[in-house]
């Protein structure tokens, strides 16, 4: 699945049990590469360092993993050995790079560098270290390459669930204890510009280390044989632990499997985990069971195995005889054939089952490969240990008080599309009003257009006419499944993905679903190879509670927002079949509907604000007015945008040109910046120096250059800097509500 295709789950009652962000996984991998038995300090002046390199595309696949060696830095290892280019890659390091490595990274034309905020790669006196850090920072700044601290945000509660999913034994209780933070952490915070948020970063680091230790200890690998105690055995153990980290990112709902490819030259040139194909929405495919009970109901035919992903994404095309494949379980017969075909002759895997089927599979593998089996140590799951686990598991596991947006970008786009249906306008009776949002598929996923159908023009052609030949490869979010006409236009515009709320654009007043029309729409997308699927945001209980208590800015009108889905009415046709959800059993369908209800409640909370009065600034003359339907709707859209903001006092902004939305934005940190640097301060205030205001983002990201004589609507009075931008763009009118910001 793509990352930031950190995509969605709709059919489960709980969100995806996996590491929430790919970057969390990559930082854990970089930290563990530093613990490789091959890792060593390059010299007495430098610390040993782990490195992970991945592409900066939507897939964000791992290209290589390595570490420093005697005489060579980790970055030097990446440049000297692997047969690939660093151009436009993202680099994850277990330490901040020294000036030598910074020079090489810049020369390699990387896109970004993320590092763990502990002792940097450079050793020595504090003055020498600080000077080296400042020089590296200046080099990155002048090269326009982002360099940032990264602290994983995955909670310990989620990691406990992940450990069960990858079928690892419960680790000893010591793994649950809070890890100790080195005494020099305060000095590191000063070096890395984190002094103002030291307490928050300390809390997040404790949580991240606790998660790392738990995942590291989860697979209890036995060491009975002497060979396993040797350097070779330690290498096997380290590689298999990397596989377990990868398995923690799997979107297979029942089983996590990880796989890596290792070169004897000292680096990993391939990595993968099992999951659904790229771009396929997890909730819209079978997710339970491996056996084919009914046609299309089992997940087996849809899941891509970890071994296959590792082979497809490997950075070294030619396999050498000494290369090794590591995996957390014996490869299946299909993967067996693929591994044999590429020329790999050595396999190391974990044998955690003694079933007849597993034994037969191992016997077949030993006929074609030089196999090394590693067994899972049997552990007693005693009641005392379980009770102790329950008592301790709440310690230090949460990220309360740290930054977290209420909505993911994809969820925001769907909610915006839903709310566009509430825009006061008329439409012909044969079709229902439909909202549409179009955004770029690549980061930062800039929202290009927000609109809705009106009069005799559907939402899709209305937007396509505004942006002719400019939406190729974009993602489209619709409040309803498009009709045949709109589906054809979307295909013709060469969009990449179409996501829609479970409702239909056709006006079905007679309660008789015209299933032929829906089937034709499905056929248009499938035959044109355009991804089209239902999208219902998956919001867990914790996030739901945060959303439900978030809207304290103004009074709410309970009748203001109303959303429906196709499940709210009874139709004669098979709804599951038309929405391609046939794999859902009756019980799973009920959970699906519960998820719909949760999404509706959260949407109503975020967009249900109704301000009694607003301030209009026109020609430098402010005046108070009662709200109008247009401004009510616009401010509710701004509230939705504000829910995506990086800070507590989130602000959302829209710019109207006539009846068209030509720009929108929300307050947040600069593109590519890691929120770890901008954690909550000890005095409960946020770093404000780095926040880009919503008004500035709207102007910068505008889809039109000429903003003269437009209206800017925002949830808070613009600051003086934004006022200068607004005047420079000759925006005619500024509108904001009269709200008590202390309640925000």
């Amino acid at each position: 699945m793509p990352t930031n295709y950190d995509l969605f789950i709709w059919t489960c009652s709980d969100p995806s049990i996996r590491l929430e962000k790919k970057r969390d996984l990559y930082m854990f991998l970089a930290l563990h590469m530093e613990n490789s038995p091959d890792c060593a300090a390059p010299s007495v002046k430098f610390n040993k360092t782990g490195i992970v390199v991945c592409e900066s595309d939507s897939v964000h696949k791992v290209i290589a993993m390595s570490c420093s060696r005697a005489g060579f830095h980790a970055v030097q290892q990446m440049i000297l050995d692997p047969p690939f280019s660093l151009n436009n890659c993202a680099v994850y390091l277990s330490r901040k790079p020294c000036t030598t490595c910074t020079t090489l990274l810049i020369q390699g034309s990387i896109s970004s560098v993320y590092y763990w905020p502990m002792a940097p790669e450079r050793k020595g006196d504090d003055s020498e270290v600080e000077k080296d850090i400042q020089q590296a920072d200046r080099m990155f700044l002048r090269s326009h390459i982002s360099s940032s601290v990264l602290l994983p945000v995955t909670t310990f509660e989620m990691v406990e669930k992940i450990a069960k999913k990858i079928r690892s034994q419960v680790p000893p209780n010591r793994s649950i204890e809070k890890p100790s933070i080195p005494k020099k952490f305060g000095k590191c915070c000063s070096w890395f510009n984190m002094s103002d948020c030291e307490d928050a970063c300390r809390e997040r680091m404790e949580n991240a280390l606790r998660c790392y230790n738990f995942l590291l200890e989860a697979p209890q690998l036995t060491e009975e044989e002497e060979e396993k105690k040797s350097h070779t055995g330690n290498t096997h153990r380290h590689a298999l632990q990397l596989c377990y980290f990868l398995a923690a990112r799997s979107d297979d709902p029942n089983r996590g499997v990880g796989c890596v490819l290792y070169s004897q030259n000292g680096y990993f040139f391939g990595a993968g985990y099992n999951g659904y194909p790229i771009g396929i929405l997890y909730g819209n495919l079978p997710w339970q069971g491996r056996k084919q009970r009914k046609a299309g109901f089992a997940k087996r035919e849809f899941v891509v195995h970890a071994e296959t992903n590792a082979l497809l994404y490997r950075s070294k095309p030619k396999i050498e005889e000494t290369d090794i494949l590591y995996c957390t379980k014996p490869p299946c017969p299909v993967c067996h054939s693929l591994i044999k075909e590429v020329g790999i002759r050595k396999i190391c895997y974990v044998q955690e089952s003694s079933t007849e089927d597993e034994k037969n599979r191992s016997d077949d593998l030993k006929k074609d490969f030089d196999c090394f089996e590693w067994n899972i140590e049997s552990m007693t799951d005693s009641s005392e240990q379980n009770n102790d686990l329950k008592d301790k598991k709440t310690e230090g596991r949460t990220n309360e008080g740290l930054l977290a947006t209420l909505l993911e970008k994809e969820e925001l786009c769907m909610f915006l599309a839903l709310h566009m249906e509430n825009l006061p306008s008329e439409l012909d009776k044969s079709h229902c009003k439909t909202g549409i949002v179009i955004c770029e598929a690549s980061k930062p996923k800039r929202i290009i257009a927000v609109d809705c159908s009106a009069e005799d023009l559907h939402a899709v052609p209305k937007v396509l006419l505004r942006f002719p030949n400019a939406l190729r490869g974009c993602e489209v979010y619709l409040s309803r499944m498009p009709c045949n006409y709109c589906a054809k236009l979307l295909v013709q515009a060469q969009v990449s993905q179409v996501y829609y709320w479970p409702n239909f654009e056709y006006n079905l007043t007679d309660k008789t679903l015209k299933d032929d029309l829906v089937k034709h729409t499905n056929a248009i997308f499938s035959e044109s190879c355009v991804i089209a699927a239902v999208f219902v945001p998956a919001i867990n209980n914790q996030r739901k509670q945060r959303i439900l208590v978030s809207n304290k800015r103004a009074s709410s009108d309970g009748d203001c927002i109303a959303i429906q889905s196709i499940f709210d009415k009874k139709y004669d046709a098979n709804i599951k079949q038309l929405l391609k959800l046939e794999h859902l059993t009756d019980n799973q369908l009920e959970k699906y509907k519960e998820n719909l209800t949760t999404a509706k409640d959260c949407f109503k909370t975020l967009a249900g604000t109704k301000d009694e009065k607003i301030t209009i600034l026109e020609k430098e003359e402010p005046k108070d007015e009662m709200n109008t339907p247009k401004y009510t709707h616009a401010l509710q859209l701004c509230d939705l945008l504000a829910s995506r903001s990086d800070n507590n006092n989130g602000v959302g902004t829209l710019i109207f040109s006539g009846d068209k939305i030509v720009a929108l934005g929300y307050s947040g940190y600069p593109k590519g910046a890691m929120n770890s640097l901008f954690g909550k301060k000890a005095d409960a205030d946020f770093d404000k120096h780095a926040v880009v205001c919503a008004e500035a983002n709207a102007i910068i990201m505008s889809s039109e250059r000429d903003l003269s004589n437009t209206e800017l609507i925002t949830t808070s009075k613009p600051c003086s800097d934004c006022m200068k931008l607004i005047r420079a763009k000759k925006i005619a009118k500024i509108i904001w509500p009269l709200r008590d910001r202390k309640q925000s």
Side-chain angles (χ1 to χ4, degrees):
M1 290 178 65
T3 151
N4 34 23
Y5 281 78
D6 292 329
L7 284 182
F8 335 97
I9 298 178
W10 299 279
T11 57
C12 295
S13 58
D14 198 20
S16 181
I17 301 175
R18 62 173 183 164
L19 291 178
E20 299 170 20
K21 304 289 183 182
K22 273 195 174 182
R23 60 174 181 252
D24 291 0
L25 168 66
Y26 297 150
M27 184 51 67
F28 284 150
L29 291 174
L31 288 174
H32 196 48
M33 284 306 303
E34 190 174 299
N35 293 320
S36 168
D38 296 326
C39 188
S43 69
V44 293
K45 293 183 178 181
F46 299 94
N47 288 306
K48 61 180 183 178
T49 307
I51 185 172
V52 174
V53 180
C54 60
E55 290 187 350
S56 296
D57 57 6
S58 57
V59 182
H60 219 50
K61 66 183 180 184
V62 174
I63 295 176
M65 299 183 290
S66 189
C67 55
S68 56
R69 309 293 174 90
F72 291 99
H73 296 227
V75 173
Q76 291 174 331
Q77 284 288 114
M78 285 289 91
I79 292 177
L80 294 175
D81 288 332
F84 66 88
S85 170
L86 291 179
N87 184 40
N88 201 34
C89 287
V91 176
Y92 296 80
L93 292 160
S94 63
R95 300 176 185 274
K96 185 178 179 68
C98 63
T99 51
T100 301
C101 292
T102 299
T103 304
L104 296 176
L105 290 170
I106 294 172
Q107 205 67 5
S109 300
I110 60 164
S111 64
S112 51
V113 176
Y114 305 117
Y115 54 89
W116 183 255
M118 283 306 296
E121 190 175 22
R122 184 70 163 87
K123 292 169 64 176
D125 295 336
D126 290 347
S127 58
E128 294 177 350
V129 174
E130 187 172 5
K131 181 180 179 181
D132 188 79
I133 290 173
Q134 291 174 351
Q135 289 176 342
D137 285 339
R138 281 196 291 269
M139 292 168 68
F140 278 129
L141 182 62
R142 292 171 181 172
S143 304
H144 305 290
I145 294 174
S146 63
S147 171
S148 177
V149 165
L150 195 158
L151 282 168
V153 297
T154 301
T155 63
F156 185 73
E157 182 180 23
M158 180 59 69
V159 167
E160 285 183 302
K161 296 178 181 178
I162 291 171
K164 295 178 182 178
K165 174 179 171 177
I166 60 180
R167 296 189 181 181
S168 302
Q169 304 294 333
V170 178
N173 288 341
R174 67 177 184 274
S175 298
I176 306 172
E177 300 292 344
K178 280 188 177 182
S180 59
I181 303 298
K183 295 180 180 179
K184 283 192 174 182
F185 180 71
K187 189 168 293 182
C188 291
C189 286
S190 175
W191 289 338
F192 303 148
N193 299 319
M194 300 188 304
S195 297
D196 292 337
C197 51
E198 180 178 341
D199 292 343
C201 289
R202 182 185 296 273
E203 180 183 349
R204 183 174 287 186
M205 175 171 280
E206 287 178 348
N207 176 76
L209 286 174
R210 199 156 170 256
C211 292
Y212 170 82
N213 291 336
F214 195 89
L215 288 173
L216 182 65
E217 295 291 339
Q220 297 296 312
L221 305 175
T222 59
E223 293 186 357
E224 295 177 357
E225 301 176 23
E226 288 299 322
E227 184 180 1
K228 296 178 184 179
K229 297 180 181 179
S230 65
H231 179 80
T232 301
N234 289 333
T235 300
H236 291 333
R237 170 183 286 275
H238 175 260
L240 288 171
Q241 287 172 329
L242 287 173
C243 291
Y244 275 99
F245 278 115
L246 288 162
R249 175 65 185 170
S250 170
D251 57 7
D252 186 311
N254 306 112
R255 179 71 180 271
V257 180
C259 178
V260 295
L261 300 172
Y262 180 71
S263 169
Q264 294 295 339
N265 290 332
Y267 62 89
F268 293 89
F269 62 92
Y273 47 84
N274 59 324
Y276 292 93
I278 294 170
I280 297 295
L281 302 188
Y282 166 42
N284 295 314
L285 285 177
W287 59 276
Q288 200 168 48
R290 297 181 177 84
K291 295 183 179 179
Q292 196 80 7
R293 300 186 186 92
K294 296 181 181 179
F297 273 41
K299 69 171 185 178
R300 180 175 184 175
E301 303 303 324
F302 299 94
V303 172
V304 182
H305 289 193
E307 301 92 330
T308 301
N309 278 324
L311 293 173
L312 289 175
Y313 289 149
R314 71 186 192 274
S315 59
K316 188 174 74 168
K318 186 176 181 180
I319 300 295
E320 301 175 18
E321 291 186 0
T322 55
D323 293 339
I324 306 175
L325 181 144
Y326 292 90
C327 192
T328 57
K329 63 174 292 187
C332 70
V334 175
C335 293
H336 177 152
S337 301
L338 296 177
I339 297 168
K340 183 179 178 181
E341 177 64 23
V342 299
I344 288 178
R345 294 292 175 261
K346 295 183 179 182
I347 301 178
C348 180
Y349 55 86
V350 178
Q351 184 65 275
E352 57 181 34
S353 174
S354 58
T355 62
E356 191 66 27
D357 181 61
E358 293 290 334
K359 290 180 179 179
N360 292 336
R361 185 181 297 182
S362 294
D363 291 339
D364 291 338
L365 289 169
K366 291 174 182 177
K367 294 177 183 178
D368 293 324
F369 305 103
D370 180 9
C371 295
F372 189 96
E373 288 186 1
W374 208 299
N375 295 319
I376 289 288
E377 182 179 296
S378 177
M379 295 185 66
T380 303
D381 192 10
S382 65
S383 58
E384 286 185 16
Q385 184 169 328
N386 283 336
N387 292 333
D388 196 19
L389 187 70
K390 291 179 182 178
D391 293 337
K392 293 187 177 184
K393 72 177 184 178
T394 56
E395 294 180 10
R397 75 173 182 213
T398 64
N399 282 328
E400 184 178 359
L402 296 181
L403 297 177
T405 55
L406 293 176
L407 294 180
E408 297 295 332
K409 194 64 170 281
E410 297 80 8
E411 296 169 344
L412 171 65
C413 289
M414 181 53 70
F415 279 175
L416 289 173
L418 287 170
H419 194 43
M420 287 306 296
E421 284 194 8
N422 291 291
L423 184 68
S425 60
E426 299 294 332
L427 185 69
D428 68 284
K429 302 300 181 181
S430 62
H431 290 77
C432 298
K433 188 184 294 184
T434 304
I436 183 172
V437 173
I438 297 182
C439 71
E440 296 173 339
S442 59
K443 291 183 178 181
K445 302 191 77 167
R446 179 175 67 99
I447 297 177
I448 298 173
V450 178
D451 214 326
C452 71
S453 48
E455 298 179 353
D456 59 347
L457 201 59
H458 294 202
V460 170
K462 190 177 178 184
V463 171
L464 294 182
L465 290 174
R466 285 180 57 196
F467 301 95
N469 197 32
L471 303 181
R472 182 176 182 178
C474 289
E475 295 178 358
V476 179
Y477 295 82
L478 292 161
S479 62
R480 297 172 182 270
M481 182 181 186
C483 62
N484 293 353
Y485 175 65
C486 292
K488 289 185 290 187
L489 293 182
L490 288 170
V491 170
Q492 204 69 358
Q494 301 180 66
V495 301
S496 62
Q497 298 167 340
V498 178
Y499 301 132
Y500 52 87
W501 184 260
N503 217 344
F504 297 112
E505 193 172 16
Y506 302 105
N507 193 354
L508 306 171
T509 55
D510 58 355
K511 293 188 178 181
T512 301
L513 191 59
K514 299 176 182 178
D515 52 351
D516 286 343
L517 296 175
V518 179
K519 290 178 181 178
H520 292 163
T521 299
N522 284 328
I524 290 171
F525 286 126
S526 60
E527 293 298 324
S528 304
C529 301
V530 173
I531 297 171
V534 180
F535 174 20
V536 178
I539 300 173
N540 62 9
N541 290 329
Q542 183 179 6
R543 198 147 59 98
K544 175 184 175 182
Q545 294 304 316
R546 288 184 59 232
I547 290 174
L548 294 180
V549 300
S550 66
N551 196 358
K552 299 179 180 179
R553 293 178 289 257
S555 59
S556 295
D557 186 344
D559 299 326
C560 186
I561 303 297
I563 315 175
Q564 290 185 337
S565 74
I566 197 66
F567 295 102
D568 295 331
K569 299 179 181 180
K570 292 185 178 180
Y571 292 100
D572 299 332
N574 187 338
I575 304 300
K576 291 197 299 182
Q577 183 180 14
L578 294 177
L579 293 178
K580 296 185 177 181
L581 299 175
E582 308 102 303
H583 57 281
L584 295 180
T585 64
D586 291 340
N587 291 335
Q588 293 164 0
L589 183 60
E590 290 304 313
K591 293 179 180 178
Y592 188 93
K593 292 179 180 178
E594 290 176 8
N595 209 7
L596 273 170
T597 302
T598 298
K600 290 178 184 179
D601 292 342
C602 292
F603 171 81
K604 185 175 180 180
T605 298
L606 292 171
T609 300
K610 185 175 181 180
D611 297 286
E612 297 300 327
K613 290 185 178 181
I614 61 172
T615 295
I616 299 178
L617 185 62
E618 188 173 6
K619 295 180 180 179
E620 305 300 328
E621 296 181 2
K623 58 181 179 178
D624 294 342
E625 288 191 2
M626 297 299 293
N627 215 333
T628 63
K630 174 185 176 180
Y631 294 149
T632 294
H633 179 262
L635 285 169
Q636 288 166 347
L637 283 172
C638 290
D639 286 330
L640 281 174
L641 290 166
S643 67
R644 175 67 184 164
S645 176
D646 289 327
N647 55 350
N648 273 347
N649 295 329
V651 178
T653 298
L654 290 176
I655 299 179
F656 272 89
S657 177
D659 61 346
K660 296 184 178 64
I661 298 174
V662 297
L664 68 169
Y666 49 84
S667 55
Y669 297 114
K671 177 182 67 175
M674 290 288 101
N675 286 353
S676 305
L677 271 178
F678 307 108
K680 205 169 187 180
K681 294 182 181 179
D683 61 358
D685 190 16
F686 275 84
D687 288 321
K688 297 179 180 179
H689 65 277
V691 172
V692 181
C693 294
E695 298 86 352
N697 273 324
I699 293 172
I700 293 169
M701 300 292 183
S702 172
S703 57
E704 295 185 13
R705 293 188 177 182
D706 185 10
L707 297 180
S708 59
N709 299 318
T710 57
E711 293 180 323
L712 184 145
I713 303 173
T714 183
T715 56
S716 179
K717 182 179 179 180
C719 66
S720 58
D721 290 333
C722 289
M723 280 293 192
K724 294 177 183 177
L725 294 176
I726 293 169
R727 294 190 185 100
K729 297 299 292 186
K730 299 180 180 179
I731 294 173
K733 189 182 293 186
I734 310 170
I735 301 159
W736 69 88
L738 294 176
R739 295 178 180 175
D740 184 2
R741 296 302 296 172
K742 294 180 180 179
Q743 295 180 359
S744 299

